[in-house]
Amino acid sequence: PLTSDALAAELARLIGRETLYFYDSISPIVSADSIDYEKAYFGSRYEPDSEDYLNCPMDRARYEEFVGAIRTGEKVPVRDFEELRCFEGCLPIEVLADRGIKTLAFGPMKPVGLIDPKTGRRPYAVVQLRRENRPTTLYNMVGFQTRLKWGEQKRIFQMIPGLENGEFVRMGSMHRNTFIDSPRLLDPYLRLRSEPRIFVAGQLTGVEGYVESAAMGQWAGLSAVAALRGIPDLVVPPPETAFGALIRAITTAPLHGHFAPMNINFGLLPPPEHSARNKDERRRELLSRARNRWDDWQAVMTERLNGFSRLKAKRNPLSESFDAART
């Protein structure tokens, strides 16, 4: 369900229309450990020795094959209520590809200033990946917002040198999705900084997915109950847990560009303490650590709540919610 016009209008009045987004234009994000770094190289068009950008070079034959795949790939149809009014600077890649075979090479894939150190030459075209977080676990595909279906995106984008085994933690999209600029507007308890009596929940906070929206609704609810009952600020769940990682993602300013919604994924969690040998082992370690951190956090919260005189009762709705969240 989309946010009602009345609620959107009231939010715009409270926070300023420039911080309320009605259309979502986002590029895919790929897991850093799924990239073949032997085929890519670091470099920025404008900042020498920058390691914020990773470049995947293409020769002319690969580029033209890639553009052809984009043109013929199956797209998500535009629905009546999703009429998109796109600026020239954020057009879907398939729209650019349809304008001519060279359009992408003069747009988001232009190779200007990106000499390949392996060849000493400028490639015909380049797909740039931008560091999404620190420490680096995710890279954003610069300028690759698209209405290609998700399966098509994976098939086509794995044609890019270095991304043959790319693991995409977020796919590109362009759709209506009302959300706010949470990193600028919300504190860690999902309160408006300018209006602390107002809590924002669900998809409006800038998360993607039903589970993620429900989780942010739960945290906003717990925070509101704590405020109403005079409980000192709750301890924010640790970033090593999925719950805490989502809260941090929507309340921390992005490294580059504007804030964009995202599903929960392993890339939002801090890297494991030990260097795992493979992806499965690393994920098992992240999962074990998340459970331990959650249990530690819940123990601290339970102790604090039990010590709060007005909540000494057989039924503690906050503790029950913690148990439900862990499940």
Side-chain angles (χ1 to χ4, degrees), residues 16-209:
R17 184 163 297 276
E18 72 278 2
T19 57
L20 182 67
Y21 303 116
F22 293 96
Y23 296 102
D24 196 2
S25 172
I26 59 179
S27 298
I29 288 181
V30 62
S31 174
D33 58 17
S34 68
I35 299 169
D36 185 349
Y37 292 88
E38 292 297 318
K39 297 181 179 179
Y41 61 96
F42 289 99
S44 168
R45 295 185 179 93
Y46 312 110
E47 299 177 24
D49 302 322
S50 172
E51 291 195 353
D52 280 344
Y53 291 87
L54 189 62
N55 303 286
C56 301
M58 288 188 184
D59 58 24
R60 182 168 183 169
R62 175 62 65 89
Y63 169 79
E64 292 182 351
E65 181 185 7
F66 182 66
V67 172
I70 292 173
R71 284 177 166 177
T72 59
E74 191 175 1
K75 284 81 174 177
V76 177
V78 178
R79 292 170 285 188
D80 293 340
F81 61 84
E82 278 191 327
E83 180 184 357
L84 300 181
R85 297 176 177 86
C86 302
F87 298 105
E88 281 293 313
C90 66
L91 291 173
I93 56 169
E94 57 270 16
V95 172
L96 293 174
D98 284 341
R99 289 184 174 182
I101 189 68
K102 293 184 178 181
T103 304
L104 283 171
F106 283 88
M109 296 180 66
K110 65 181 179 184
V112 176
L114 299 174
I115 302 299
D116 186 343
K118 298 182 181 68
T119 65
R121 299 190 301 272
R122 189 175 75 180
Y124 188 81
V126 163
V127 173
Q128 274 206 313
L129 308 177
R130 184 180 62 212
R131 187 195 309 271
E132 185 72 11
N133 60 350
R134 297 185 191 278
T136 308
T137 58
L138 302 169
Y139 278 94
N140 184 301
M141 294 179 63
V142 180
F144 269 69
Q145 55 273 359
T146 178
R147 292 191 71 89
L148 285 166
K149 290 190 173 182
W150 287 6
E152 290 288 80
Q153 288 186 48
K154 181 177 180 180
R155 176 182 68 84
I156 294 170
F157 295 158
Q158 285 185 336
M159 295 171 61
I160 299 170
L163 299 187
E164 291 88 349
N165 297 306
E167 180 183 340
F168 298 94
V169 302
R170 183 183 80 188
M171 306 308 295
S173 69
M174 301 192 73
H175 58 274
R176 178 171 174 176
N177 177 15
T178 307
F179 65 101
I180 65 174
D181 190 1
S182 291
R184 288 177 53 192
L185 298 171
L186 297 183
D187 69 11
Y189 305 99
L190 306 189
R191 301 174 295 199
L192 287 177
R193 298 178 192 273
S194 60
E195 292 273 2
R197 65 191 179 87
I198 295 176
F199 295 79
V200 181
Q203 192 180 45
L204 277 172
T205 62
V207 295
E208 288 275 14

Side-chain angles (χ1 to χ4, degrees), residues 187-190 216 219 236-237 242-252:
D187 69 11
Y189 305 99
L190 306 189
M216 295 305 95
W219 183 238
V236 179
F243 211 162
L246 273 175
I247 295 169
R248 185 177 65 170
I250 64 174
T251 57
T252 304

Side-chain angles (χ1 to χ4, degrees), residues 212 215-216 218-219 235-250 263-273 283 285-299 301 322 325-327:
E212 292 85 344
M216 295 305 95
Q218 186 174 34
W219 183 238
V235 178
V236 179
E240 293 85 2
T241 66
F243 211 162
L246 273 175
I247 295 169
R248 185 177 65 170
I250 64 174
N263 295 86
I264 184 63
N265 61 79
F266 280 101
L268 291 181
L269 305 177
E273 286 77 10
R283 288 186 170 180
E285 183 176 342
L286 290 173
L287 177 58
S288 176
R289 184 184 67 180
R291 286 173 168 160
N292 291 335
R293 295 288 192 277
W294 180 273
D295 289 341
D296 293 342
W297 173 76
Q298 185 171 351
M301 286 306 306
F322 296 152
R326 189 186 195 285
T327 302

